[in-house]
Amino acid sequence: MAKYLLLALNGPTSPDVDKTYNRWYDDIHIPDLLEVPGVTSARRFKAIKSNTPWPYVAAYEIETDDLPHLLKVMEEQPRPFDPSFDRSTSGHILAVAI
């Protein structure tokens, strides 16, 4: 089975909603994604030094033989994004284990 790492790079829409954003991410978004078959772990990090605009990174370990299907489920299964989540500037890196 192939192994992947998904790094989600993101942050809140403003510093004023940072607590709301983190509460939603930790209490709702991470548990939702861990329910997706094939997502084996999820961890979050706060950047302490970066040359990017993203203050937070979430690392998801994935094991699957059908990556397109898993990614579709990851998009459709979780609850809607909280308004505190800044989707306009979020980014991601998807990598396969070598």
Side-chain angles (χ1 to χ4, degrees):
M1 190 166 305
K3 295 182 180 190
Y4 301 89
L5 178 66
L6 175 62
L7 298 176
L9 312 160
N10 50 58
T13 53
S14 76
D16 297 344
V17 295
D18 191 71
K19 285 183 182 178
T20 301
Y21 159 83
N22 280 299
R23 190 175 322 113
W24 167 79
Y25 214 112
D26 291 339
D27 297 344
I28 295 172
H29 194 57
I30 292 278
D32 281 356
L33 290 176
L34 286 171
E35 293 278 328
V36 174
V39 177
T40 61
S41 73
R43 294 181 64 196
R44 293 190 65 222
F45 301 87
K46 182 174 172 99
I48 57 171
K49 184 176 180 185
S50 176
N51 64 355
T52 73
W54 300 297
Y56 296 99
V57 178
Y60 303 95
E61 291 184 275
I62 297 168
E63 293 185 20
T64 184
D65 286 327
D66 189 353
L67 184 62
H69 175 72
L70 183 138
L71 293 175
K72 184 176 180 183
V73 173
M74 284 182 80
E75 288 179 19
E76 295 174 352
Q77 182 170 314
R79 287 170 267 188
F81 285 94
D82 189 87
S84 64
F85 181 88
D86 189 355
R87 294 192 76 185
S88 69
T89 63
S90 65
H92 69 274
I93 298 169
L94 179 62
V96 63
I98 55 174

